[in-house]
């Protein structure tokens, strides 16, 4: 259907209306006696009422008006979009674009219900942002709307207005090519709606969020958002290259994002995932800075949000959130973007695939990024501290590891085996023994005494150490901070945070690389469940067994649990099994058990790690640094804080005015 061919949808609407008002299909008055005291005949709603009902769904608040108008501008191929608001958008929203414009004879259709120039032949192949032909008539039914537009071929512009559903005649107007849509007095025609508005500040910030969200997907379009009710947001056009995308993201997220982000690029079964995620130490207190797009359309989707949380579960505490920009590209036939009129929800045909792709790609990227701490972003001296990766980036993580290996062998550190297959043998207190000895102060030499070490820096082993990512340990200060030196920087390590992380990674490796020890229950515990849940659990019984949970079918609608993971101790088996069933139903994975075990590992790691205040010998400090280099994710502690910071020699020289 093409709304631009005169009449189309409108005629059908009238046809529909005539059929509905036919008295022959009215029910007999007695049919509803119990429900209605006064029987009413069925009548067709007025067009304005229909539009107002639609507006109730599509136009929730000023930000929804902005979203619809900006999407229209982008669908019209605009390269510049200017947005002005007043009174939080309730008094005024004006969007001006330089797009294709609307021909004068189509202005009336643009504000008629179900009239669109965009719908493809197939509802499953939607490539524009709009497609319902609902936004303009909905807005026009609850506000005062005017559209002024001029096409490339048009000699002059034309204008149409609609106020609370009443349409005015098309008039000539003066304008450049493109379209200006002005919405005044939003919800004046539906005062009940007005009561739900949260106040100017909240509405303004919801609008900013909408504009940023869309702008990230259209880097080659220039956006401005201004008005008496806000500070101006200006996003100059970049371009559609990967680099241009990142520059647009930086305009929205802040200039320090690219320095603290890891690129994601992964493909699985025809689904492509690209974008950036922050390193863990660059986290936020809420998830507002998580942007997701499906085939270029901004979405807010529970599945995607959950997958991001899952991917970061190991490196961030529950109340911290990564900053993410993720673009999913997939065949439009296997994703439904048509779920809700506000179009923020999507439904994937294969949710497990999408979740697995996101979790897998982010985890891999985090692991490959290796140790890396955040830039502080603070002013003054702290601004000179660089992420660990800065020195690391040049040889690349792989080289960094290799040079570590060489160094480690050359200097022959004992008791530290970096093999992931033997994580429990690494010799830290509380896990194995050796390495860090408590109360071994006599053996400790630090501070100025290390000048000896510094001189020894001329020997071969120490020379190699300077070339590693975290360098050669020189001193321990305040009984918790290891000061190390690389060829071109000074590194400060928080030994407690670093060690806690290392122990956690080691424990987790042990858990996931071999079967977890289990304990037999004296009597098997029978858990009654809906049949589908019992079925699902039985299907995953082999995986569950790897985690130490022995489970089998026990007739229809029940399972028997014979073994539980020893680490869980006395556990509520019924609750565990039900949570697992829910988890599997939701995600088709067994995250719950894995998550529980990981949390136990984290708790044990905290108890087992070197407390601050422990004095360390030089070789112990160096061993800790080497272990950090070899352990993915060790740049942040279990709570998402950096485990070390790095100050470049050049920056130190600048601080002293030598440069
Ligand atoms: P939809 O976007 O779903 O088609 P709308 O009610 O938002 O529905 O818009 C109706 C029609 O008006 C669009 O299909 C388009 O043809 C036209 N239109 C709206 N805004 C613009 C604009 N800024 N530039 C060009 N055409 C526009
Ligand atoms: Mg639209």
């Amino acid at each position: 259907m093409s709304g631009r061919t005169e009449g189309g949808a409108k005629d059908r609407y009238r046809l529909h209306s005539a059929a509905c008002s036919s008295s022959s299909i009215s029910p007999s008055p007695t049919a509803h006696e119990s429900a209605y005291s006064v029987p009413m005949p069925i009548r067709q709603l007025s067009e304005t009422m229909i539009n107002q009902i639609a507006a109730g769904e599509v136009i929730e608040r000023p930000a929804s008006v902005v979203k619809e108008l900006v999407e229209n501008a982008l669908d019209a191929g605009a390269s510049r979009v200017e947005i002005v608001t007043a009174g939080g958008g309730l008094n005024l929203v004006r969007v001006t674009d330089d797009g294709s414009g609307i021909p004068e004879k189509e202005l009336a259709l643009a504000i008629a219900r179900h009239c669109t120039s965009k719908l493809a032949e197939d509802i499953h192949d939607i490539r524009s942002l709009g497609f319902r032909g609902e936004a303009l008539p909905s807005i026009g039914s609850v506000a005062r709307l005017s559209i002024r537009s001029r096409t490339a071929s048009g000699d002059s512009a034309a204008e149409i207005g609609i106020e609370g559903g009443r349409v005015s005649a098309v008039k000539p107007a003066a304008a450049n090519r493109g379209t200006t849509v002005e919405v005044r007095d939003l919800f004046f025609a539906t005062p009940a709606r007005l009561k739900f508005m949260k106040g100017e500040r909240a509405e303004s910030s919801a609008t900013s969020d909408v504009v940023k969200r869309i702008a990230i997907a259209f880097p080659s379009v220039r956006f401005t958002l201004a008005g008496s009710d806000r500070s101006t947001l200006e996003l100059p056009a970049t371009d559609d290259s990967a680099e241009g995308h990142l520059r647009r993201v930086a305009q929205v997220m802040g200039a320090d994002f690219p320095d603290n982000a890891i690129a994601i690029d992964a493909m699985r079964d025809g689904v492509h995932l690209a974008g950036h995620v922050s390193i863990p130490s660059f986290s936020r207190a809420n998830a507002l800075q998580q942007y997701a797009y499906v085939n270029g359309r901004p979405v807010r989707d529970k599945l995607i949000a959950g997958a991001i949380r899952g991917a970061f579960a190991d490196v961030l505490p529950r109340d911290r959130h990564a900053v993410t920009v993720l673009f999913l590209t997939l065949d439009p036939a296997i994703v439904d973007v048509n779920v809700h009129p506000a179009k923020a929800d999507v439904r994937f045909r294969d949710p497990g695939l999408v979740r697995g792709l996101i979790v897998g790609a982010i985890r891999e990227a985090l692991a490959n990024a290796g140790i890396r701490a955040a830039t502080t972003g603070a002013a003054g001296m702290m601004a000179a501290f660089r992420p660990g990766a800065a020195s690391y980036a040049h040889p690349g993580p792989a080289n960094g590891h290799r040079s570590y290996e060489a160094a480690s062998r050359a200097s022959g550190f004992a008791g530290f085996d970096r093999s992931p297959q033997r994580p429990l043998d690494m010799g830290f207190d509380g896990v194995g023994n050796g390495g860090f000895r408590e109360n071994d102060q006599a053996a400790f030499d630090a501070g100025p005494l290390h000048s000896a070490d510094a001189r020894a820096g001329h020997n071969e082993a120490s020379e190699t150490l300077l070339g590693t990512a975290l360098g050669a340990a020189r001193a321990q200060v305040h009984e918790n901070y290891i000061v190390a030196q690389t060829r071109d920087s000074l590194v400060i390590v928080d030994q407690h945070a670093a060690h806690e992380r290392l122990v956690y990674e080691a424990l987790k490796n042990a858990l996931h690389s071999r079967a977890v020890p289990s304990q037999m229950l004296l009597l098997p515990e029978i858990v009654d469940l809906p049949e589908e849940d019992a079925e699902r659990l039985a299907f995953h019984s082999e995986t569950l067994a790897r985690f130490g949970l022995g489970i089998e079918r026990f007739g229809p609608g029940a399972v028997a649990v014979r073994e539980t993971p020893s680490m869980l101790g006395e556990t509520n088996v019924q609750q565990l099994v039900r949570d697992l069933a829910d988890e599997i139903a939701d995600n088709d994975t067994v995250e719950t058990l894995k998550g529980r075990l990981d949390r136990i590992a984290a708790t044990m790691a905290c108890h087992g790690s070197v407390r601050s205040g422990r004095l360390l010998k030089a070789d112990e400090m160096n061993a800790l640094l080497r272990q950090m280099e070899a352990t993915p994710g060790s740049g942040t502690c279990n709570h998402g804080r950096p485990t070390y910071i790095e100050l470049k020699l050049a920056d130190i020289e600048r601080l002293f005015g030598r440069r």
Side-chain angles (χ1 to χ4, degrees):
M1 171 185 96
S2 164
R4 284 197 169 154
T5 45
E6 204 80 30
K10 284 220 103 166
D11 287 345
R12 208 172 306 160
Y13 163 74
R14 278 195 214 100
L15 258 179
H16 178 65
S17 161
C20 254
S21 57
S22 152
S23 57
S24 63
I25 55 167
S26 297
S28 78
T30 51
H32 287 280
E33 251 165 17
S34 57
Y36 303 107
S37 49
V38 182
M40 298 230 289
I42 293 181
R43 284 175 306 162
Q44 172 78 27
L45 295 170
S46 75
E47 185 161 345
T48 296
M49 198 110 116
I50 292 172
N51 285 329
Q52 286 178 344
I53 291 168
E57 290 215 40
V58 185
I59 307 301
E60 230 183 305
R61 59 197 298 189
S64 352
V65 172
V66 173
K67 170 179 181 289
E68 293 296 336
L69 300 186
V70 170
E71 287 186 351
N72 281 347
L74 294 168
D75 281 342
S79 63
R80 282 184 298 120
V81 179
E82 275 168 34
I83 306 133
V84 175
T85 66
L90 286 165
N91 299 347
L92 170 73
V93 170
R94 181 170 54 228
V95 176
T96 304
D97 68 60
D98 62 351
S100 62
I102 308 171
E104 183 174 342
K105 63 176 178 8
E106 288 181 12
L107 274 176
L109 274 180
I111 55 169
R113 191 170 164 73
H114 296 322
C115 290
T116 175
S117 54
K118 300 167 194 173
L119 187 55
E121 287 308 305
D122 185 353
I123 183 91
H124 297 300
D125 191 20
I126 291 160
R127 287 168 197 272
S128 55
L129 293 165
F131 56 87
R132 293 165 188 265
E134 232 170 21
L136 294 181
S138 297
I139 297 168
S141 73
V142 297
R144 301 180 218 280
L145 167 76
S146 77
I147 305 171
R148 193 180 328 138
S149 195
R150 179 170 175 179
T151 60
S153 57
D155 309 328
S156 63
E159 185 173 352
I160 193 169
I162 169 170
E163 296 197 357
R166 278 209 320 277
V167 183
S168 66
V170 175
K171 295 182 299 211
N176 293 327
R177 192 198 129 171
T179 305
T180 298
V181 181
E182 206 172 88
V183 178
R184 290 186 181 274
D185 306 328
L186 183 62
F187 300 133
F188 88 92
T190 50
R193 256 287 144 153
L194 260 184
K195 296 209 183 85
F196 287 95
M197 295 306 112
K198 293 207 178 107
E200 206 170 280
R201 275 257 299 286
E203 297 306 331
S204 278
S205 91
T207 293
S208 305
D209 186 53
V210 156
V211 173
K212 289 175 182 171
R213 217 162 263 281
I214 301 176
I216 285 176
F218 292 84
S220 59
V221 177
R222 173 193 169 82
F223 292 86
T224 55
L225 171 59
S228 53
D229 56 341
R230 59 171 68 252
S231 54
T232 302
L233 173 72
E234 220 176 304
L235 305 174
T238 67
D239 57 71
D240 281 320
S241 68
E243 208 265 320
H245 260 277
L246 190 56
R247 270 191 291 145
R248 170 54 57 85
V249 170
Q251 291 170 357
V252 171
M253 307 281 217
D256 50 353
F257 179 71
D259 280 344
N260 292 289
I262 311 169
I264 304 287
D265 191 348
M267 180 98 180
R268 193 184 287 182
D269 296 341
V271 183
H272 183 226
L273 176 72
H276 287 85
V277 302
S278 61
I279 54 175
S281 46
F282 194 76
S283 64
R284 299 290 165 97
N286 59 43
L288 285 179
Q289 298 270 51
Q290 297 187 345
Y291 296 88
Y293 302 82
V294 174
N295 290 342
R297 178 188 294 277
V299 299
R300 259 184 220 275
D301 188 76
K302 275 215 198 95
L303 175 119
I304 296 174
I308 294 171
R309 212 178 314 113
F312 279 91
D314 268 4
V315 290
L316 284 182
R318 278 173 169 269
D319 58 346
R320 300 297 299 177
H321 303 266
V323 179
T324 60
V325 183
L326 294 175
F327 294 89
L328 275 167
T329 313
L330 66 172
D331 182 347
I334 59 170
V335 58
D336 186 2
V337 295
N338 203 10
V339 183
H340 188 268
K343 293 169 293 194
D345 290 334
V346 285
R347 198 166 290 151
F348 299 102
R349 183 177 301 166
D350 187 348
L353 168 67
V354 174
R355 187 187 154 85
L357 172 65
I358 296 173
V359 174
I362 295 179
R363 284 202 179 150
E364 194 186 323
L366 286 170
N368 287 341
I371 51 167
R372 191 165 162 190
T375 57
T376 62
M381 170 157 165
M382 290 306 281
F385 282 93
R386 288 282 143 72
S391 65
Y392 212 35
H394 303 295
N399 288 344
H401 283 173
R402 242 174 271 129
S403 69
Y404 148 68
E405 221 155 25
S408 156
R409 285 208 199 92
S411 51
F413 292 125
F416 289 86
D417 187 337
R418 65 182 290 256
S419 159
Q421 304 310 315
R422 297 180 51 204
L424 291 182
D425 301 340
M426 64 184 195
F428 290 125
D429 266 348
V431 182
N433 31 46
F436 295 93
R437 283 177 294 274
E438 199 134 23
N439 302 325
D440 200 3
Q441 301 198 11
F444 177 68
D445 74 313
L449 293 180
H450 277 278
S451 56
D453 270 10
R455 273 196 305 276
H458 294 295
N459 79 41
E460 213 181 305
S462 210
E463 188 58 32
T464 323
L465 279 188
L466 293 178
T468 60
L470 297 178
R474 292 300 185 217
Q476 183 198 37
V477 296
H478 292 292
E479 302 182 338
N480 183 50
Y481 298 99
I482 298 169
V483 181
Q485 170 185 353
T486 73
R487 287 222 168 80
D488 64 350
S489 72
L490 173 81
V491 173
I492 305 174
V493 175
D494 178 337
Q495 75 183 37
H496 174 73
H499 189 229
E500 185 175 322
R501 182 72 198 180
L502 294 178
V503 174
Y504 172 56
E505 290 291 337
L507 280 171
K508 240 176 32 171
N509 262 328
L511 276 173
H512 299 310
S513 61
R514 44 177 109 123
V516 173
S518 62
Q519 60 188 18
M520 276 288 233
L521 298 180
L522 276 179
L523 289 173
E525 182 142 358
I526 311 302
V527 185
D528 293 317
L529 297 149
E531 174 58 20
E532 314 88 77
D533 284 345
E535 187 75 28
R536 275 190 208 105
L537 286 165
F539 183 80
H540 286 281
S541 63
E542 240 171 73
T543 318
L544 295 172
R546 271 201 43 232
F547 288 108
L549 189 75
I551 207 168
E552 57 197 49
R553 286 306 302 258
F554 192 76
V559 294
V561 179
R562 297 186 185 281
E563 283 174 333
T564 58
S566 313
M567 288 181 89
L568 292 182
E570 282 287 305
T571 190
N572 182 340
V573 174
Q574 302 275 341
Q575 194 55 51
L576 174 63
V577 168
R578 290 212 172 83
D579 287 356
L580 278 168
D582 287 348
E583 181 91 29
I584 295 171
D586 282 354
N587 304 314
D588 212 38
T589 63
V590 284
E591 290 276 348
T592 304
L593 188 53
K594 202 161 160 289
R596 274 177 192 220
L597 294 175
D598 283 353
R599 274 198 293 282
I600 285 177
T603 312
M604 287 175 50
C606 194
H607 287 291
S609 64
V610 184
R611 269 167 287 123
S612 48
R614 176 92 55 88
L615 300 176
L616 301 179
K617 293 200 292 185
D619 61 347
E620 291 174 331
M621 293 191 281
N622 275 314
L624 182 69
L625 300 187
R626 303 293 81 78
Q627 190 74 32
M628 285 173 71
E629 286 161 352
T631 305
S634 65
T636 49
C637 76
N638 299 344
H639 313 291
R641 293 186 292 271
T643 54
Y644 76 98
I645 50 177
E646 182 178 23
L647 186 59
K648 287 282 173 204
L649 195 53
D651 289 325
I652 298 176
E653 286 170 350
R654 216 174 312 128
L655 285 170
F656 285 103
R658 282 166 169 260
R659 278 184 177 223

